[in-house]
Amino acid sequence: MASEQQVKRYLAYWFQVGKTIVVRNGEKVLQPQRIIAGNHYSQEFEELWQYLLSPESGDCYLTGTSQTISELLTSKWDVESCSRCDMPVPMFNVGLPPESCACSDLSNWPNSDLPKPREPINNQDRLRTIHQRLRHGENRDGGDRDASGDPKNQTRESPHPPESLNQKEYLRLVRDRTSCLREPWSASPENSLASGKQKSATD
């Protein structure tokens, strides 16, 4: 079942490429001059949409089609993309699909040189989405840097850091100094004289 929003989008897209809508069982043909105003539909289009939903519009349908707006809002219809022009078209849920797309009587459509029809765009939502993507990218890059700097993430084959080399040198110096302290005095004349003086003093 097509929702009101889908049918509304369907009309807005076709109005943007020049389509008109027949109202009151063919008595009148209408076409809004402006469909989108900034980040929302124009007031002119909104008023037309409300008119099409009211009983005063009678049977109304887009030119080149046979499905009325009231029929599209029933459970028998969906709105899908046309395989030829990628525009929204009604698709029958039960039975055979419609004979042709609304683009069948448009000689200038599809046209890749023209901007594609669209819905209103909320610039604030788009900027917020871009901002969130940028923040997510920064957090991911920061996590990668932290992971690469974590010693736990380094492989065993990685070379020892400079601190470990300095520690080895320090231990070697301590070992050398300790071995010097443990060596006995040599029997030099100076050492013998010093020991004799020390012995005479004690006597």
Side-chain angles (χ1 to χ4, degrees):
M1 175 180 177
S3 64
E4 285 193 8
Q5 185 63 31
Q6 287 177 308
V7 177
K8 185 177 182 179
R9 174 177 174 268
Y10 156 73
L11 292 176
Y13 270 52
W14 286 110
F15 285 150
Q16 292 178 65
V17 296
K19 279 286 183 176
T20 59
I21 189 164
V22 181
V23 300
R24 298 187 62 84
N25 305 322
E27 293 182 3
K28 200 172 184 180
V29 177
L30 301 176
Q31 182 186 35
Q33 298 300 312
R34 189 178 185 187
I35 296 91
I36 295 177
N39 59 358
H40 55 275
Y41 289 116
S42 66
Q43 183 177 353
E44 180 185 6
F45 176 77
E46 292 285 1
E47 291 176 354
L48 176 59
W49 171 246
Q50 294 301 321
Y51 171 71
L52 297 176
L53 295 178
S54 67
E56 288 78 9
S57 62
D59 288 338
C60 47
Y61 52 89
L62 200 68
T63 53
T65 67
S66 58
Q67 304 82 34
T68 64
I69 301 303
S70 58
E71 287 176 341
L72 295 180
L73 292 172
T74 64
S75 59
K76 296 181 179 180
W77 292 90
D78 276 333
V79 176
E80 304 291 345
S81 296
C82 173
S83 59
R84 175 174 176 262
C85 65
D86 203 32
M87 292 280 281
V89 293
M91 298 294 290
F92 200 37
N93 284 332
V94 181
L96 296 175
E99 296 180 357
S100 62
C101 170
C103 66
S104 60
D105 63 346
L106 288 177
S107 59
N108 63 339
W109 194 263
N111 189 343
S112 59
D113 295 331
L114 297 176
K116 289 186 178 181
R118 62 178 179 83
E119 294 179 273
I121 299 174
N122 192 318
N123 293 329
Q124 293 298 325
D125 290 343
R126 293 190 66 184
L127 291 174
R128 190 179 300 109
T129 301
I130 295 173
H131 179 67
Q132 291 175 353
R133 289 179 179 176
L134 291 175
R135 291 189 61 185
H136 178 71
E138 291 176 356
N139 293 336
R140 183 177 59 187
D141 294 341
D144 294 341
R145 288 194 297 269
D146 294 341
S148 62
D150 191 350
K152 296 181 180 179
N153 295 327
Q154 296 179 357
T155 59
R156 294 182 177 180
E157 291 75 15
S158 61
H160 295 290
E163 288 76 10
S164 61
L165 295 176
N166 294 336
Q167 184 178 11
K168 286 184 178 180
E169 293 177 359
Y170 174 77
L171 292 176
R172 181 171 55 80
L173 291 174
V174 172
R175 185 172 57 252
D176 293 342
R177 292 182 180 181
T178 305
S179 62
C180 291
L181 293 175
R182 290 178 180 178
E183 292 179 359
W185 284 11
S186 61
S188 62
E190 291 80 5
N191 291 337
S192 301
L193 180 61
S195 59
K197 290 181 180 180
Q198 183 178 6
K199 183 176 180 181
S200 61
T202 54
D203 293 340

